[in-house]
Amino acid sequence: MATVIVVGAGVNGATAAIELKKRRHKVALVDPGPLPHPLAASTDVSKAVRAAYGADEEYTELAERAIKLWRKWNKEFGLQFYREVGVMFVCQREMKPGDFEYESFKMLENRGHKIERMNSAQVWKRFPAWNPELYRDGVLEWEAGYAESERAVAKLIERAKSLGVELHEGTRFSQLDESDDRVKGIVLDNGQQIAGHLVVIAAGAWTPYLLPFTKNFFRATGQPVFHLKPQQPELFAAERFPVFGADITTTGYYGFPLNRDGVVKIANHGPGREMSPDSPERLVTRQEEQNLREFLSSTFPVLADAPIVYSRVCMYCDTHDGHFWIARDPDREGLIIAAGDSGHGFKFAPVLGEIIADAVEERQNPLLQKFRWRPEVRAGSGTDVARAKENL
Ligand SMILES: Cc1cc2nc3c(=O)[nH]c(=O)nc-3n(C[C@H](O)[C@H](O)[C@H](O)COP(=O)(O)OP(=O)(O)OC[C@H]3O[C@@H](n4cnc5c(N)ncnc54)[C@H](O)[C@@H]3O)c2cc1C
């Protein structure tokens, strides 16, 4: 049994703390709070949950496991965190081999998923908010949807506490406490030390700022998110408006059906703006709003002038190849980093804790090869923007 300090109580930190506690470690979870932290990537009304991952079978398989467990969590917590309303990835031209949508379609078909191809006027009639002239192909994955992420994280933190995780809410990691290339714990910004055998940094977009040497691996980027109040809400109810990605690899636009507050969330992701998560520039720009209006008027004409009732800049922690980074630091014994999920990590919440705990305990897990320590992957390696764009 080890003493493990987990820094950051977003989805990575909370699930890691729970799993490590279940594996009988002594666990401290540190976060400035209030929890769920309003600026955390995990603190949001919704996150897409889907198995469509192009030709990447490992993520598809992992998402399949996660979706089964999301359904189990719904029962276990007695709350509908996960809403299985379907997810569609659609495009303006016929999809072709090599396209994210086509490869997802093939992969899901081969693995026996309940899917539909979106290439007939008949299919589009069921989704009246969409401009029927514009989109002509795509894949609709039925056993997918979205998670109410903030609510889920709040419950996970409660669960962590009830299992005996020592929660240090209101405390801020300042630096590692290390000697002889070995981590002995952490130092808080008030100078207080917390001793531990192992330290897991799960601080999302804060990671490259808390551990500056990781700036070579991670980029913290801001991505705009908008909440709109439709004049015809019935057109955006989940049964007529599943979660979508519209030409996701080229436009970056995606969105969610009407939520419990009567709001439609539409967001854009792509290379983003590099900034610190605490930056005062963390505000949606006029240009981003203008781009949104253009997208809406062509794709959802009925939403073109809908008032924006809320906007935020959500922070990705991007790796250069778009894959997660869940690994032990080879140069600092006792340090594990769990970050870099480039805008697509939340859906894996039910399986993340297990993967992080396996990294902590140095257990065999084939995914840890994909998420390994890989300083050789550099910015501009060619895969970065391409991959990051298809993720949500
Ligand atoms: C716009 C946007 C859209 C997304 N959409 C999707 C989607 O549709 N589907 C999907 O699966 N994923 C999506 N994601 C990705 C998902 O949100 C992230 O993968 C996930 O939330 C990352 O969780 P985390 O725990 O690593 O980071 P965070 O949730 O950001 O948590 C980091 C925590 O670290 C804490 N922290 C900061 N500084 C310190 C300090 N000094 N000491 C201690 N703690 C500290 C913070 O307070 C915070 O609680 C999206 C992300 C964004 C930004």
Side-chain angles (χ1 to χ4, degrees), residues 8 19 29 32 42 120 123 142 151 197 212 218 267 275 290 295 301 307 311 323 329 331-332 368 373 378-379:
E19 182 64 24
L29 180 60
S42 309
S120 76
V123 173
W142 280 115
R151 290 178 73 216
H197 303 106
F218 304 128
M275 64 173 90
Q290 203 175 312
F295 168 73
S311 66
H323 298 309
D329 183 339
D331 298 325
R332 291 168 190 82
L368 290 173
W373 199 270
R378 293 275 168 187

Side-chain angles (χ1 to χ4, degrees), residues 147-159:
E148 293 184 339
S149 43
E150 178 173 355
R151 290 178 73 216
V153 170
K155 284 289 163 196
L156 289 170
I157 292 168
E158 264 178 32
R159 174 169 283 189

Side-chain angles (χ1 to χ4, degrees), residues 87-102:
V87 174
M88 58 180 172
F89 284 103
V90 297
C91 31
Q92 295 188 24
R93 62 172 175 80
E94 189 185 333
M95 54 189 192
K96 295 192 176 50
D99 292 346
F100 171 72
E101 294 81 1
Y102 182 89

Side-chain angles (χ1 to χ4, degrees), residues 50-249:
R50 41 98 192 180
Y53 259 91
D56 194 320
E57 195 154 17
E58 281 172 303
Y59 281 125
T60 303
E61 212 177 326
L62 191 62
E64 287 167 356
R65 274 183 55 210
I67 288 169
K68 285 197 184 106
L69 293 169
W70 273 113
R71 294 185 190 128
K72 201 166 154 222
W73 273 7
N74 273 357
K75 286 203 186 116
E76 234 175 82
F77 286 95
L79 293 166
Q80 282 271 316
F81 295 147
Y82 167 55
R83 302 193 164 245
E84 203 156 273
V85 300
V87 174
M88 58 180 172
F89 284 103
V90 297
C91 31
Q92 295 188 24
R93 62 172 175 80
E94 189 185 333
M95 54 189 192
K96 295 192 176 50
D99 292 346
F100 171 72
E101 294 81 1
Y102 182 89
E103 297 301 334
S104 298
F105 180 79
K106 283 289 154 196
M107 176 70 73
L108 296 176
E109 186 177 51
N110 289 340
R111 296 180 68 86
H113 284 247
K114 212 171 134 198
I115 51 169
E116 242 182 275
R117 188 158 178 174
M118 309 278 298
N119 61 348
S120 76
Q122 207 55 32
V123 173
W124 281 102
K125 272 200 184 126
R126 283 150 45 205
F127 308 111
W130 286 78
N131 177 353
E133 308 294 313
L134 213 52
Y135 292 87
R136 55 185 59 193
D137 209 351
V139 53
L140 172 50
E141 178 187 348
W142 280 115
E143 288 164 339
Y146 68 94
E148 293 184 339
S149 43
E150 178 173 355
R151 290 178 73 216
V153 170
K155 284 289 163 196
L156 289 170
I157 292 168
E158 264 178 32
R159 174 169 283 189
K161 273 197 286 190
S162 71
L163 287 172
V165 168
E166 202 180 283
L167 183 64
H168 296 255
E169 188 175 351
T171 54
R172 199 177 287 269
F173 167 96
S174 164
Q175 63 186 81
L176 294 169
D177 182 8
E178 41 184 342
S179 64
D180 305 327
D181 301 330
R182 181 152 191 112
V183 169
K184 298 186 301 178
I186 63 169
V187 183
L188 301 176
D189 65 348
N190 61 8
Q192 192 199 327
Q193 290 176 325
I194 305 182
H197 303 106
L198 297 153
V199 175
V200 178
I201 301 287
W206 283 269
T207 308
Y209 294 89
L210 298 182
L211 298 178
F213 69 91
T214 65
K215 280 198 173 150
N216 289 332
F217 327 137
F218 304 128
R219 252 180 103 233
T221 62
Q223 316 277 337
V225 178
F226 300 92
H227 290 191
L228 296 130
K229 198 104 189 166
Q231 270 146 9
Q232 291 173 262
E234 66 285 1
L235 299 184
F236 298 91
E239 56 284 10
R240 303 171 115 194
F241 195 79
V243 179
F244 73 88
D247 276 320
I248 191 74
T249 55

Side-chain angles (χ1 to χ4, degrees), residues 7-13 30-33 35 37 39-44 46-49 53 171-174 202-206 210 223-225 254 256 265 267 314-316 338-339 341-348 392:
V7 176
V11 72
N12 274 304
V30 174
D31 198 290
L35 290 172
H37 194 288
L39 294 177
S42 309
T43 310
D44 202 343
S46 50
K47 300 286 181 191
V49 176
Y53 259 91
T171 54
R172 199 177 287 269
F173 167 96
S174 164
W206 283 269
L210 298 182
Q223 316 277 337
V225 178
Y254 62 98
F256 297 80
K265 174 180 141 185
C314 184
M315 299 290 306
Y316 288 178
D341 26 18
S342 304
H344 66 119
F346 200 90
K347 67 182 66 60
F348 299 111
L392 59 100

